Amino acid sequence: AHGNSAASTDRTVMLGGIGVLPSYRRQGIGKKIINRLCHEILKKDKTPCIFTGDANVIAMCSELGFTEYGMWATAQANHNELC
């Protein structure tokens, strides 16, 4: 199992790299990882956030007290063009 912060600002920290091997899923391990990371982030007076489109992750984060805020998207360009 693994979890870390992926990016931060002066007010928020984005969680990322959270993963649990398939054979260990549905045992609360992912929740414990997210909970511990959030505890450390909140101690620093910052707000934890997660960007995901995965319905299972959204459901788990909702159980932990996260609130879903709309939709998001990424912009991609080929190597010869810039956005």
Side-chain angles (χ1 to χ4, degrees), residues 1-76:
H2 179 266
N4 63 281
S5 60
S8 67
T9 69
D10 58 335
R11 298 184 325 172
T12 62
V13 176
M14 181 176 69
L15 304 181
I18 299 165
V20 178
L21 291 172
S23 60
Y24 290 93
R25 291 180 187 162
R26 302 265 181 227
Q27 298 179 35
I29 297 169
K31 285 182 184 178
K32 288 179 183 177
I33 292 169
I34 293 171
N35 208 11
R36 180 63 182 174
L37 289 168
C38 288
H39 178 75
E40 294 300 319
I41 292 165
L42 292 168
K43 282 188 345 186
K44 297 176 181 178
D45 278 337
K46 294 188 176 194
T47 301
C49 63
I50 295 176
F51 293 97
T52 185
D54 184 306
N56 292 325
V57 175
I58 292 169
M60 179 177 63
C61 290
S62 180
E63 291 175 18
L64 291 170
F66 281 79
T67 303
E68 189 175 352
Y69 288 99
M71 301 296 294
W72 59 276
T74 59
Q76 298 179 356

